[in-house]
């Protein structure tokens, strides 16, 4: 947490912010947070000083971290307005999301480009996905057409065989 005045001077920093960025009390926020003489390109101080509350995610290269940022105006008893910024470190979550996205893309790529027919079906007997190789093997021209198939009703001559198969797996 840190608080700045309307001239971008840091009036307060909590200990966690000091640990991460150094003690910047009395300095300009952009000098401390972004190590820059110029106002940060992501700065939303104008909106905050106009009374708006802002919330977004921000990557800060100087500390190689991503933060969920919440900022809002803070009115002092004398009527002056300051800006309070709360930075919550979400770096680990963002890294995990990126890994998950990459893993999903790798899986999707493998599923779509493997040279054998593959499908994903539900326990209830509905197809949820099918790759092009299976569509080609079975002569379907569209994925939508294939996904309308009811596995239990349309594919099994003896529907009880599916129940036996499900119990086996």
């Amino acid at each position: 947490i840190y608080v700045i005045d309307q001239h971008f001077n840091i009036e307060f920093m909590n200990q966690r912010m000091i640990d991460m960025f150094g003690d910047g009390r009395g300095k300009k926020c952009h000098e401390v947070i972004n190590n820059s003489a110029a106002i940060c390109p992501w700065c939303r101080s104008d909106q905050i000083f106009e009374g708006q509350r802002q919330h977004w995610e921000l990557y800060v290269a100087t500390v190689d971290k991503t933060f969920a940022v919440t900022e809002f105006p803070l009115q002092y008893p004398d009527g002056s307005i300051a800006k309070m910024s709360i930075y919550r470190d979400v770096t680990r979550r963002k890294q995990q999301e990126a890994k998950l996205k990459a893993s999903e893309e790798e899986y999707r790529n493998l599923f779509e480009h493997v040279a054998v027919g593959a499908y994903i079906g539900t326990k209830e007997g509905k197809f949820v996905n099918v790759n092009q190789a299976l569509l080609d093997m079975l002569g379907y021209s569209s994925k939508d057409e294939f996904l309308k198939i009811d596995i239990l009703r349309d594919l099994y001559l003896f529907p009880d065989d599916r129940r036996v198969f499900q119990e086996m797996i």
Side-chain angles (χ1 to χ4, degrees), residues 13 25 31 46 62 73 75 89 107 141 151 158 165:
M13 293 178 86
R25 291 174 288 192
E31 294 171 344
D46 289 346
T62 57
Q75 185 169 1
D89 186 354
Y107 167 77
S141 57
I151 295 172
F158 302 105
F165 173 68

Side-chain angles (χ1 to χ4, degrees), residues 21-85:
F21 293 95
D23 190 352
R25 291 174 288 192
K27 298 177 184 175
K28 302 288 186 189
C29 56
H30 47 86
E31 294 171 344
V32 176
I33 305 299
N34 200 32
N35 197 24
S36 172
I39 295 172
C40 302
W42 62 79
C43 185
R44 298 183 182 182
S45 291
D46 289 346
Q47 294 99 325
I48 306 306
F49 289 123
E50 289 174 3
Q52 293 181 28
R53 181 183 183 100
Q54 298 278 324
H55 184 77
W56 78 98
E57 287 188 354
L58 170 68
Y59 174 74
V60 180
T62 57
V63 290
D64 192 27
K65 292 185 181 295
T66 302
F67 299 95
V69 178
T70 301
E71 296 185 318
F72 52 90
L74 185 64
Q75 185 169 1
Y76 291 128
D78 68 1
S80 63
I81 307 253
K83 178 183 82 164
M84 178 176 279
S85 299

Side-chain angles (χ1 to χ4, degrees), residues 56-60 64-68 88-102:
W56 78 98
E57 287 188 354
L58 170 68
Y59 174 74
V60 180
D64 192 27
K65 292 185 181 295
T66 302
F67 299 95
R88 188 170 55 88
D89 186 354
V90 295
T91 305
R92 185 174 167 159
R93 176 181 58 89
K94 295 301 282 185
Q95 290 169 340
Q96 290 171 338
E97 286 173 358
K99 285 179 185 177
L100 178 60
K101 183 179 179 187

Side-chain angles (χ1 to χ4, degrees), residues 4 15 24 40 42-43 51 54-55 67 103 108 124 131 141-142 144 147 150 160 164 168:
I4 65 166
Q15 190 59 51
C40 302
W42 62 79
C43 185
Q54 298 278 324
H55 184 77
F67 299 95
S103 175
R108 189 176 306 108
E124 294 76 25
N131 70 356
S141 57
S142 95
D144 291 336
L147 295 179
D150 182 302
D160 285 340
V164 170
M168 287 172 37

